[in-house]
Amino acid sequence: MIDTQVFQDYKLTPEDLKGYFTKEENDRSEDISRLHWLLKERVEQGRRKNLTDWRIYAAIDMAYDAPFAQTTPTIIQHVVDNCLKGEMTYEETLEAVKDWGLSMEDLFTTTKNEKGEVTEMVPNIPTFFKVLVPLVKAYVTIRLSKLFTDRNQVPLMKFEPLKMTEANKVKCEVITDIVAAMSAQYGYSSELRQAIFKTLLYSVCLMFPKEAWHYESVEDPDGETEVTLREGLRYFQPHPTRMFYDLMSPLSSINTDTGVDYAGYWTVARYRDVKDSSTFWNLDKIAYGTDWFSEVKGANRYFSEVYPCALRYPEVGKRREGDREVRAEFYAERDLDSALFLTYAFMKLVPSENGMGDYDKPVWFRFVIANEDTVIYAEPLPYCPVVYFGCDADDARDRNSSLGLELVPWQDHVGNILSQIILTAKQNLTNAVFYDKNQIDMDDVRELQNSGENKFRGTNWIPFDSLKDRMTGIDHRQAFHSIDLVKQSTLELTQSLTTVIGVMERLIQFSAQEVGAAASHQQSAQEIRVIANSTSTRVAYTGAFIDDAIDAWKRQLYYASLSYMDKEFVAQVSTDIPDLDNVLMDLGFEVESRGPDKVTVRGSNIRKLLLEGFAATKDGPDRGIDSGTASVMLQTIQQVAVNPMLSQAVGPEALLEMMTRAARLAGAPKDFSLKLADIGGGQQQQPPGGQAQPAEAIMQQVEETVAKPAAEALQMQGQQIAEIQQTLDQIKQLFGIAGQAQPLNMPVNVQANMPPPPAPEPLP
């Protein structure tokens, strides 16, 4: 984190940077010109890479949007039904099909002969029965719901100190409370859900701040001062085809700010929106730039399918030979409604090495660039601006496979199998009927075929001449002959469908219980546990990447708050921190109100929250939960509680405190607590006798009730063992084997305290 006062001292504020980038090209320093070309080169390189890789992400988007791609049969059925009901004529039906956005090519296809001549129009069969199963959407949503609900906790982000001092505990609780309010005001829960979704679908998601710090205020009722309405960071998560980053370092290193030194994203905007802004500079120097549609292969297809834009792009004039910047025209008033590229580039630079003052430490900068190289805004950032979310990523690879991409081929296979099952079932419904042309007229057959639903609902009359039939010896009952065609089996297709889904779930590690389906076979309890453990381990591995991003996000919010937030703040602190009042006094916090579990404090210097060390904690499903420790603590408490003397010696307050800690470790809320009820004006109940028993009395009671009975029982047991030993000795003497016998094993303490056995009596 860099103190924002450094930006003012070293002339690095946006107003100071404006002076560097608004100078004429001939008046710029060599370092600024080199930085200008570096920005242009990185923007062009990133945009060209996007236009090269867009097909991969387009395929994922198409697979995810499968439900929108199979509405044609439903629309056609609706139009045809209206036509059959007589509500529309044939011409009106064709017009309705066009109004629905369908063309004849969607409904029919042409057949050609060997000469290439069109012979007839036949129905486009896949249009009517092809099934698109949205596996990508379904399985991504299943995994998303698990990862997100485990992390959608209250508070969303919990801060813990690296050094567990009382002052650091107070600071972390204050920071947690401040960020919790910020999360509610700016919808960080929704941002997290969207980030996890894009990570699962595309394998990568970068989250950029829209500005260095967002601030909204309203006038106080007295009209003299302003009251802060909300302040924090707003974010933008670009589509992977519109973002770029440094490929020379692992992308995960940006979460720790130890590798990647630039990243960014681009959009398309109207020139009017840029020109009317009071924030941007160099509005009269924005050049048309490169003709991406003609120079980059596939750019036209990208802007028509993946990133459709209704804006008109300016026509680029002919390039002049020897033009160093390869541009000819600039935006003017006639281009107010024309489109231009806006690129938001974040770069880590040493200002003194790039012609921006004398500060010689690395600083993150945010540049807004119009088209290729016109810098229209710049500002320094005191924190790392990019948060990276990855999905099972390998840092050594440029592109990583995502859950959505892994599901795409399986979705195609399942759709093809289901479509084939439906086609086979339709073919099995084919009926071949032979009719006698000598008895049945062709017109009668056509009328029967074209009768619509009347063939099922009404009576179909076919005339015949009985007199003629008798004269010719023809039986009209033999006029029709139905032929049973060979039926194709769909059993193999159904089995293959089950196999495909089973293999897919095994490879991607989805259990039947996770997707809410029955297993393919009867499972034992042990098998269910093994599958559940394997699935949970796989989810936990994917969640580890999400947790790393959340940790980086927390650090970013922490540093941004210390740098830009109002100096005065109000927060809540738990009352279970030892010596809380003195800690608050040392930190300069004022107590505004007190509650049973929380204390509301007010601070006048946000920099007081600077920690000695920041420790990122896991924000997954097990945050602050230790079920094993809680179970051991509860068992110990139970053993103490069932013994009246031990429970009285420990005391009810200590028992309740231990039970409270065990409950919190087991998952109870942080404010959960058990306390003694007030009896008689706030006095706690005393033991019988009116006064608490001293420790000596308790120990004496324990000795009398536990130690003495135990000693007496032990002595009695020793005497019984001695008698048994005496009897055995007599038996051994009887059989003459006393010298070979071994003494009976007894506890050491019993042998030590046991009196010597009496002399054996002579045998009769």
Side-chain angles (χ1 to χ4, degrees), residues 252-270:
S252 61
S253 63
I254 202 168
N255 284 339
T256 55
D257 197 11
T258 56
V260 173
D261 60 1
Y262 77 89
Y265 64 95
W266 57 272
T267 61
V268 176
R270 293 185 306 176

Side-chain angles (χ1 to χ4, degrees), residues 241-454:
T241 60
R242 292 187 290 278
M243 67 184 187
F244 56 91
Y245 46 84
D246 184 9
L247 296 177
M248 300 304 295
S249 300
L251 190 53
S252 61
S253 63
I254 202 168
N255 284 339
T256 55
D257 197 11
T258 56
V260 173
D261 60 1
Y262 77 89
Y265 64 95
W266 57 272
T267 61
V268 176
R270 293 185 306 176
Y271 175 65
R272 180 192 303 275
D273 299 334
V274 175
K275 186 176 183 301
D276 294 340
S277 174
S278 59
T279 305
F280 298 138
W281 328 314
N282 291 330
L283 300 181
D284 57 340
K285 300 178 181 179
I286 302 177
Y288 283 174
T290 302
D291 183 5
W292 293 94
F293 295 94
S294 61
E295 292 195 0
V296 181
K297 184 179 180 180
N300 281 319
R301 180 68 62 183
Y302 170 78
F303 285 103
S304 62
E305 293 191 5
V306 178
Y307 192 30
C309 183
L311 298 179
R312 175 184 62 85
Y313 290 86
E315 296 181 1
V316 180
K318 293 183 179 180
R319 298 178 178 178
R320 301 189 302 270
E321 293 184 3
D323 191 347
R324 184 171 61 85
E325 295 189 352
V326 194
R327 60 189 185 184
E329 300 182 52
F330 297 88
Y331 281 80
E333 293 294 330
R334 66 179 183 275
D335 299 313
L336 290 179
D337 291 330
S338 297
L340 81 159
F341 291 99
L342 278 183
T343 303
Y344 300 86
F346 298 81
M347 295 178 59
K348 192 175 185 180
L349 304 168
V350 177
S352 61
E353 297 177 359
N354 292 274
M356 297 182 294
D358 300 328
Y359 191 66
D360 58 354
K361 301 293 189 300
V363 178
W364 278 98
F365 286 88
R366 173 177 173 266
F367 299 97
V368 183
I369 304 170
N371 284 337
E372 274 81 20
D373 63 345
T374 307
V375 179
I376 59 177
Y377 188 74
E379 62 180 343
L381 301 175
Y383 54 84
C384 181
V386 189
V387 178
Y388 159 69
F389 289 81
C391 178
D392 305 342
D394 180 4
D395 289 338
R397 296 184 178 274
D398 175 20
R399 295 191 302 259
N400 285 280
S401 175
S402 66
L403 177 61
L405 185 61
E406 293 175 3
L407 288 168
V408 168
W410 302 103
Q411 175 171 306
D412 295 336
H413 286 313
V414 171
N416 291 335
I417 293 174
L418 282 176
S419 300
Q420 186 61 42
I421 291 176
I422 295 175
L423 178 60
T424 303
K426 287 178 175 289
Q427 291 175 344
N428 290 339
L429 295 176
T430 303
N431 292 321
V433 180
F434 291 89
Y435 68 94
D436 190 350
K437 296 174 60 177
N438 294 323
Q439 301 184 60
I440 306 300
D441 189 76
M442 184 63 182
D443 294 334
D444 295 333
V445 176
R446 289 198 183 107
E447 184 178 355
L448 182 63
Q449 289 177 337
N450 300 325
S451 60
E453 291 191 2
N454 290 329

Side-chain angles (χ1 to χ4, degrees), residues 170 173-175 177-178 570-574 593 598-601:
V170 172
E173 290 210 12
V174 172
I175 296 171
D177 192 70
I178 291 174
V570 177
Q572 289 185 335
V573 181
S574 300
S593 61
K598 295 286 187 180
V599 174
T600 302
V601 300

Side-chain angles (χ1 to χ4, degrees), residues 12 40 56 152 154 182 209 375 427 445 450-451 516 527 573-574 621 630 679 739 744 760:
L12 294 177
K40 177 181 178 181
I56 299 174
N152 188 25
V154 178
M182 197 183 302
V375 179
Q427 291 175 344
V445 176
N450 300 325
S451 60
E527 183 180 358
V573 181
S574 300
I679 299 176
L744 184 66

